[in-house]
Every structure is written in structure tokens, then in C-alpha cells.
Amino acid sequence: MSAAAKSLSTTVNASLPAEFADLSEDDLARLDSLLQDAIAVRAASMDRAIKGSLKHAPRLARPAIRKVLGL
């Protein structure tokens, strides 16, 4: 397994299907990069959504909610 394939496998946290062996090293590296970017964007979006949802909670309850959520 190439370095790009190992990195991609780590990114998706699963073993790659056999068909991925047909892809070039550059294709695997690009796919890995795109997936890592998508994961980062999703994490930032979720962070904004969680912080935005705290505005709907009563002010006195927010510290307890943050503690429960681990923020």
C-alpha cells in the first residue's frame, strides 16, 4: 500500500476497497486532500452551529450546557 493510500485510509478510518489500487498516487493524494478539507469545513460548520444554538438557551443555563457538551 502506498503512502497516499495509507493516508487516505487513515482519513476515512477504514480500509480502502480493492478498486482504489487502480488509482494513481496523485489521484489518491488529491482525494485525501479533498476529504480532509471537507472534514475541516464540516467541523467548523458544526462548531458554529453549536455555538449559535447556545444563544437560544437561557443565559444562566449556558455554562452548564457548555460543560455538558465539553466546550
Side-chain angles (χ1 to χ4, degrees):
M1 185 180 288
S2 67
K6 287 180 185 177
S7 178
L8 180 59
S9 179
T10 302
T11 299
V12 297
N13 199 25
S15 59
L16 298 178
E19 291 80 10
F20 277 61
D22 297 337
L23 296 175
S24 70
E25 186 84 12
D26 291 337
D27 289 339
L28 290 171
R30 177 136 168 83
L31 180 57
D32 184 43
S33 174
L34 291 171
L35 285 172
Q36 287 180 3
D37 291 345
I39 289 168
V41 168
R42 185 186 77 178
S45 176
M46 289 296 293
D47 189 48
R48 283 192 309 275
I50 289 170
K51 288 180 180 176
S53 68
L54 286 175
K55 293 178 184 176
H56 299 285
R59 187 174 298 272
L60 292 174
R62 290 178 192 171
I65 293 171
R66 282 190 188 102
K67 186 174 183 179
V68 169
L69 294 176
L71 301 176

